[in-house]
């Protein structure tokens, strides 16, 4: 089986496990875990923010970011199939009492007009706009800097905070040749996920101002995400920063080759996702019969995701297996 369901399927490499095994550790909650402290220092710098906080998952990082910057009853605005709205189990409503408003948007890019239309200062205070880069449900699409700047500006004009869900920000950065801080500094807070293409078993970073990170600590305790010798996990993240970022362009090249090989336009592949139309809902089962596992992208669409554990031969096998299944679909 060639498994292209998700880039979360990566398993830690032997070298990553060795880095984890030899990590210097202490009690994170006493601020005495040197490896976690180093990861937080390094990612804050990389993202152009004052401070950063290590959390077990990017879901928790997103939820902590929302809770740190909103009051109950205010509005969360995002593209309608954004991760925080669709895949976080109602967390913004449960943890922060937010009204969740989704708007349709091309390539996941909420526009300034959408913000102006939804965030009415007369109807309540503040609020928060969540922007996702790369945008998962549109197929790993990248936000152009100017677009993100304009939408973030519209949010601020209405007194709303801006959170960037950059779970795959490094994919955007490597593909576009733009520093991650260029996007990250346009937002008040930013999440990075280490368990996608970066290949870690788990782990995420939330970055923002020192005051925001102080508030996020409250959620880290409240959600049960305050750890102890977390340096074992932070060591995997540090290893990934050194060894698994630059190589993301291999994943992107393989995704483009896969798209081309199955008759899709490779220009539509911006990072490590290939969006595969599935209008009749039978492609997933037919692909599985042919030996290829695909994931769900959005209604009517599947995804093939490349990552650290998908090699050139896997792409050859996937093309040979999928091309005949898709003749009448794409
Ligand atoms: C996977 C993902 C998350 C959540 O990551 P976890 O670490 O698995 O909780 C958040 N946002 C986006 C866009 C994601 O793709």
């Amino acid at each position: 089986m060639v498994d292209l369901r998700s880039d979360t399927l990566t398993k830690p490499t032997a070298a990553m496990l060795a880095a984890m095994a030899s990590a210097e550790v202490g009690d994170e909650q006493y601020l005495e875990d040197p490896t976690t402290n180093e990861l937080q220092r390094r990612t804050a710098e990389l993202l152009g923010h004052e401070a950063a906080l290590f959390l077990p998952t990017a879901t928790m990082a997103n939820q902590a970011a929302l809770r740190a910057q909103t009051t109950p009853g205010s509005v969360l605005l995002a593209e309608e199939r954004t991760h925080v709205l669709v895949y976080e189990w109602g967390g913004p409503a449960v943890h922060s009492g937010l009204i969740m408003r989704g708007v349709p948007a091309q390539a996941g890019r909420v526009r300034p007009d959408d913000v102006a239309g939804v965030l009415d200062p007369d109807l309540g205070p503040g609020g928060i706009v969540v922007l996702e880069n790369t945008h998962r449900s549109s197929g790993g699409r990248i936000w152009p800097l100017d677009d993100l700047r304009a939408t973030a500006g519209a949010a601020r004009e209405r007194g709303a905070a801006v959170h960037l869900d950059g779970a795959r920000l490094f994919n955007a950065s490597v593909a576009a040749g733009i520093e991650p801080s260029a996007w990250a500094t346009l937002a008040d807070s930013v999440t990075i996920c280490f368990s996608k293409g970066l290949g870690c078993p788990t782990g995420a970073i939330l970055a923002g101002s020192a005051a925001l990170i102080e508030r996020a600590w409250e959620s880290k305790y409240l959600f049960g995400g305050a750890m102890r010798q977390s340096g074992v996990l932070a060591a995997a993240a540090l290893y990934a920063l050194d060894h698994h970022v630059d190589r993301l362009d291999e994943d992107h090249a393989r995704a483009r080759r896969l798209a081309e090989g199955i008759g899709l336009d490779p220009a539509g592949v911006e990072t490590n996702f290939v969006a595969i139309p599935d209008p009749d809902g039978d492609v997933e089962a037919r692909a599985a019969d042919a030996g290829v596992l695909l994931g769900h992208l959005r209604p009517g669409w599947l995804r093939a995701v490349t990552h650290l554990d998908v090699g050139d031969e896997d792409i050859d096998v996937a093309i040979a297996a999928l091309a005949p299944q898709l003749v009448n679909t794409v």
Side-chain angles (χ1 to χ4, degrees), residues 22-37:
S22 63
E24 253 190 83
V25 296
D27 192 319
E28 172 197 273
Q29 294 179 40
Y30 287 80
L31 308 180
E32 287 175 6
D33 187 290
T35 310
T36 299
N37 291 344

Side-chain angles (χ1 to χ4, degrees), residues 137-248:
S137 296
S138 65
R141 303 286 299 274
I142 301 169
W143 269 81
L145 272 178
D146 287 343
D147 289 2
L148 200 137
R149 186 179 293 111
T151 299
R156 293 220 174 77
E157 265 174 40
R158 278 154 193 83
V162 179
H163 175 64
L164 176 62
D165 182 351
R168 295 186 182 82
L169 189 62
F170 288 108
N171 289 89
S173 169
V174 168
I178 294 173
E179 291 301 320
S181 59
W183 287 286
T185 51
L186 297 174
D188 300 298
S189 54
V190 53
T191 293
I192 298 287
C193 181
F194 284 98
S195 62
K196 303 281 165 71
L198 295 181
C200 298
T202 192
I205 276 286
L206 175 66
S209 70
L212 188 150
I213 293 305
E214 206 44 53
R215 289 222 54 197
W217 261 107
E218 293 171 19
S219 298
K220 189 169 150 91
Y221 280 110
L222 176 67
F223 298 161
M227 298 177 276
R228 296 297 181 182
Q229 286 71 37
S230 55
V232 173
L233 294 170
L238 284 166
Y239 180 89
L241 289 178
D242 289 333
H243 301 280
H244 292 171
V245 173
D246 291 344
R247 62 152 305 285
L248 290 170

Side-chain angles (χ1 to χ4, degrees), residues 17 42 58 95 108 142 252 256 258 329:
L17 288 169
R42 196 164 151 196
H95 302 306
I142 301 169
H252 303 162
R256 284 194 300 274
L258 174 63
T329 309

Side-chain angles (χ1 to χ4, degrees), residues 57-59 62 83 88 132 136 165 167-168 193 195-196:
T57 64
T59 299
N62 283 339
H83 199 280
E88 300 188 11
E132 199 178 281
R136 178 207 171 278
D165 182 351
R168 295 186 182 82
C193 181
S195 62
K196 303 281 165 71

